[in-house]
Amino acid sequence: MSKISKFFKGNSNSSKKHGPTPQEAIHKLRETEEMLTKKQEYLEKRIEQELATAKKHGTKNKRAALQALKRKKRFEQQLSQIDGTLSTIEFQREALENANTNTEVLKNMSYAAKAISSAHENMDLDKIDSLMQDITEQQEIAQEISDAISRPAGFGEEFDEDELLAELEDLEQEDLDQHLVTAGGLPTVPSSSLPSRPASKKKVEVDEDMEQLAAWAS
């Protein structure tokens, strides 16, 4: 038998005997901790007093000094025992608190599980699958309708786009010609030749120099 099984079995036996609840046990342990803490404070004060008494008598009254030191030792032993007891009680209290927390967690988890079971009680998986299929089909139909609505109606698709562009160019050319005619017609090319450019004076002087050189050379 596992420790958990023994624990729950022990709890069932204790419940039959109407033992204390975890909350009651935790409360009692806290009261005990408070009492032992006060006892600690008392012993610490007594230890300080006995130490002061021993110092006061010293070697002048060895008997009284030794008795004070003996009492101090006993108080220190009691203080040490209380420290150990408090550690044990603290461990036991923490174990009870954890057990109480785990019990509440399990109780709430069981309550939630029952709620989930109740929520799923009237649910039929076959009906859910059928419903999801219907939803998927309706979504597909809606998508097809949206695609059909957004698709162009097809007007003009039987015409050649190149022919339409050529016709558009002809219309633009006709409009340009009409604009030129309205502005006064096309400009005419002049029939008479342009006047020749007179030779520069510098060129005439160069020709005369060349003639003089030619005459001298002959």
Side-chain angles (χ1 to χ4, degrees):
M1 183 181 295
S2 65
K3 294 181 179 180
I4 297 177
S5 299
K6 291 180 180 179
F7 174 76
F8 282 106
K9 184 177 180 181
N11 284 345
S12 61
N13 292 333
S14 62
S15 62
K16 293 179 182 179
K17 296 179 182 179
H18 302 288
T21 63
Q23 293 85 351
E24 294 173 346
I26 292 172
H27 180 69
K28 290 293 184 182
L29 288 174
R30 288 188 183 279
E31 289 181 347
T32 304
E33 283 180 308
E34 291 178 1
M35 182 267 294
L36 291 176
T37 301
K38 291 180 180 179
K39 185 68 177 295
Q40 275 184 325
E41 295 174 355
Y42 169 76
L43 290 174
E44 288 173 353
K45 290 180 180 180
R46 290 299 306 272
I47 290 172
E48 292 177 359
Q49 292 175 357
E50 298 300 334
L51 183 61
T53 301
K55 289 180 179 180
K56 178 181 178 180
H57 293 289
T59 56
K60 297 178 183 179
N61 190 348
K62 292 183 179 180
R63 181 181 179 83
L66 291 175
Q67 290 295 330
L69 291 176
K70 289 179 181 179
R71 289 192 296 271
K72 184 180 77 70
K73 290 292 184 182
R74 289 198 301 269
F75 293 148
E76 288 176 346
Q77 290 178 353
Q78 294 179 28
L79 186 61
S80 178
Q81 291 175 350
I82 291 175
D83 289 339
T85 304
L86 281 173
S87 297
T88 302
I89 290 175
E90 183 180 3
F91 173 79
Q92 191 176 19
R93 177 176 52 79
E94 290 177 353
L96 274 171
E97 290 174 347
N98 292 333
N100 188 39
T101 301
N102 293 334
T103 301
E104 292 297 324
V105 170
L106 291 174
K107 186 186 298 182
N108 294 332
M109 290 176 65
S110 176
Y111 182 77
K114 291 178 181 178
I116 295 174
S117 177
S118 178
H120 292 165
E121 186 175 358
N122 297 325
M123 291 186 181
D124 188 352
L125 292 179
D126 294 333
K127 292 182 179 179
I128 294 173
D129 291 338
S130 177
L131 176 62
M132 295 305 297
Q133 290 177 1
D134 291 341
I135 293 174
T136 302
E137 291 177 359
Q138 294 300 323
Q139 289 177 344
E140 292 176 353
I141 292 173
Q143 185 63 40
E144 291 178 359
I145 293 173
S146 298
D147 293 341
I149 293 174
S150 61
R151 190 182 304 120
F155 296 109
E157 291 184 357
E158 67 274 9
F159 300 109
D160 187 359
E161 186 174 354
D162 292 336
E163 293 180 357
L164 296 176
L165 290 174
E167 184 177 353
L168 179 62
E169 291 177 358
D170 292 339
L171 292 174
E172 290 179 349
Q173 185 63 40
E174 290 179 2
D175 184 65
L176 179 60
D177 294 341
Q178 183 66 31
H179 179 71
L180 291 174
V181 170
T182 304
L186 296 173
T188 58
V189 179
S191 57
S192 60
S193 61
L194 296 174
S196 60
R197 185 178 181 183
S200 63
K201 183 179 180 181
K202 184 177 181 181
K203 184 176 181 181
V204 173
E205 292 177 354
V206 172
D207 291 340
E208 292 177 353
D209 292 339
M210 291 298 295
E211 290 177 357
Q212 292 177 3
L213 288 175
W216 179 77
S218 60

